[in-house]
Structure formats: structure tokens, C-alpha cells
Amino acid sequence: MAATVSTVIGLGSSSLSSPSRVSAPKPTSLTSGFLKSPVTVRNPLKQAHASGGKYTCFQRDWLRRDFNVIGFGLIGWLAPSSVPAIDGKSLTGLFFESIGAELAHFPTPPPLTSQFWLWLITWHLGLFICLTFGQIGFKGRTEDYFEK
């Protein structure tokens, strides 16, 4: 009895051969009238020649630094922090006084119980909040994030 080779024609006209004949697998091309032709997908996150050809998610100037924001943010924080609201003294005044007191014994660092740490953290936290909101507001307005 002679071995017969039977082929089954399937989707995309790929053929299956009998187990008696071993050959390298052929890539199957699945085509259909419902699918569009294969198109190379563009990566929207990749910018040409950005970061030496590497993939990047951010613009090169992601910080979009503006000296107006830094200047107005600093003034915007110095004004309210200089109001004498804490026992007749301002937060800025207390912070600078504590710096002077700690510099009096310079090689020795301030102890953890020193008021310097409270004024340092409070003053800088307020400054960074002002700068952050200033950046959001200024850049949001110049780039039309906010509707009028």
C-alpha cells in the first residue's frame, strides 16, 4: 500500500502535510477581507532624535522653567510669611533668627529638638507649595489649559 499525502486547505491557504513528510514550518499569512492590510504601527511616545534615539515619554523641556514663576512665587511666599502672626514675629523672621542661633555654634549641628527644624520645614514647604501652584497657574494660563 502506498502512502498518500493528503493536504487540508485552511484559513489563509496554509497547508498541513502528513506526518510522514517532515519539512520546515512555513509561516502562515492570515488574510481576510475584514482586516486591513498590515501597517507598521508608529509609536507616539518616540520622538525623532530625542535622547539619542531612545524612547522617551516626556518632552525634552518637561520642566518648562520660567523665571517669572520663580520670581513671583518667591515674592508670593515672602509677603505672607513676613506678616508678624506668631507672637508678634513672622515665620521668615523666626526662620532667619534660628539660622543665626544655630550658626553661633557652627561645627556642632542643630539638635533634633531645636526649633530650627520646625521653621525650616514650615518655611520651605510653604515656598514649594507657592512655586508649584504658581507653575500650574502660570503655565496653565499661557498654554490655555483653563477656559475663560
Side-chain angles (χ1 to χ4, degrees):
M1 190 178 209
T4 60
V5 176
S6 64
T7 59
V8 176
I9 308 258
L11 181 66
S13 19
S14 68
S15 63
L16 301 173
S17 60
S18 68
S20 64
R21 197 170 107 176
V22 178
S23 64
K26 296 178 184 176
T28 55
S29 172
L30 302 177
T31 59
S32 171
F34 296 108
L35 299 176
K36 294 181 179 179
S37 63
V39 178
T40 48
V41 179
R42 245 184 89 227
N43 185 352
L45 301 177
K46 183 179 179 184
Q47 295 178 353
H49 306 295
S51 305
K54 299 176 185 171
Y55 290 98
T56 179
C57 293
F58 298 104
Q59 298 173 1
R60 217 175 235 302
D61 185 24
W62 63 271
L63 184 59
R64 291 178 275 168
R65 176 184 48 179
D66 191 350
F67 293 115
N68 290 327
V69 174
I70 296 170
F72 288 127
L74 185 61
I75 292 169
W77 176 239
L78 279 175
S81 68
S82 297
V83 173
I86 306 168
D87 293 331
K89 294 183 178 181
S90 68
L91 178 61
T92 303
L94 289 169
F95 177 48
F96 290 150
E97 278 180 25
S98 66
I99 290 173
E102 294 304 327
L103 283 176
H105 53 84
F106 168 62
T108 308
L112 289 177
T113 57
S114 174
Q115 287 287 313
F116 166 75
W117 298 112
L118 174 67
W119 306 134
L120 174 101
I121 291 170
T122 307
W123 195 87
H124 281 92
L125 185 66
L127 174 66
F128 295 145
I129 288 171
C130 263
L131 290 174
T132 301
F133 284 140
Q135 179 79 350
I136 292 169
F138 192 81
K139 286 299 179 182
R141 185 153 186 196
T142 58
E143 295 179 10
D144 292 330
Y145 287 140
F146 309 120
E147 306 237 354
K148 293 179 182 179

